Amino acid sequence: MYKNKTFSLVLPAYNEEVHIKKNIEQFLNTNIFDEIIVVDNNSTDRTSEEIKKTSAIYVKETLQGYGAAIRKGMSVSQSDFIVMCEPDSTFKADDIFKFLAYLNEFDCVFGTRTQKLLIDKKAKMNFYLRIG
């Protein structure tokens, strides 16, 4: 609970066994989220086992696709606010505090990872991915 509001984190996951557990733990450590919902979207690796090692809510979505996984996670959420993020270590859990600064001003806040990638000369993001 944050400022008397509840927060859910929805993580759509497809073959994220390498990153998922670490990401769940990092988001839990922010002490913002009342529930973390991880939607396994037909992973063929050990993603489900890694999710189940945590306190996150495991949800299976058999309809393949990012949108289907997001919709499933949102339908499971019981919170006042829903945060969605990819669990591939491209976002920092502590960045949630930047979003919370806008909580009273906007109904919806979007973030992007393109700025960090543009600053970090080692990271490259192709044109189509940036547009998307």
Side-chain angles (χ1 to χ4, degrees):
M1 185 158 302
Y2 178 80
K3 294 189 177 182
N4 296 317
K5 298 290 183 181
T6 55
F7 286 80
S8 294
L9 174 65
V10 173
L11 299 172
Y14 178 75
N15 291 343
E16 293 290 349
E17 77 174 285
V18 172
H19 300 277
I20 193 70
K21 185 173 181 278
K22 177 183 78 170
N23 279 269
I24 292 168
E25 291 168 350
Q26 288 174 349
F27 280 104
L28 282 170
N29 287 337
T30 66
N31 294 314
I32 295 295
F33 298 100
D34 299 279
E35 61 184 7
I36 294 180
I37 301 163
V38 186
V39 183
D40 181 2
N41 198 208
N42 303 309
S43 295
T44 58
D45 62 2
R46 299 183 31 147
T47 296
S48 64
E49 290 97 359
E50 293 299 308
I51 296 166
K52 292 173 184 175
K53 291 178 184 177
T54 72
S55 62
I57 298 167
Y58 174 84
V59 177
K60 179 74 172 175
E61 174 53 66
T62 57
L63 180 60
Q64 193 65 40
Y66 182 79
I70 289 293
R71 283 190 304 274
K72 175 66 94 175
M74 290 173 65
S75 73
V76 171
S77 172
Q78 298 294 312
S79 297
D80 298 312
F81 292 95
I82 301 172
V83 176
M84 295 172 283
C85 180
E86 289 78 25
D88 59 1
S89 296
T90 57
F91 294 97
K92 294 182 196 174
D94 287 339
D95 282 344
I96 186 61
F97 297 104
K98 296 175 186 175
F99 290 91
L100 294 175
Y102 298 101
L103 192 62
N104 296 323
E105 297 177 51
F106 301 99
D107 294 329
C108 187
V109 179
F110 293 92
T112 180
R113 56 187 163 215
T114 55
Q115 185 62 37
K116 179 186 181 321
L117 290 173
L118 292 173
I119 293 169
D120 183 357
K121 301 295 184 199
K122 297 176 189 171
K124 300 286 183 200
M125 182 178 276
N126 74 42
F127 173 77
Y128 295 105
L129 190 54
R130 285 187 60 207
I131 297 301

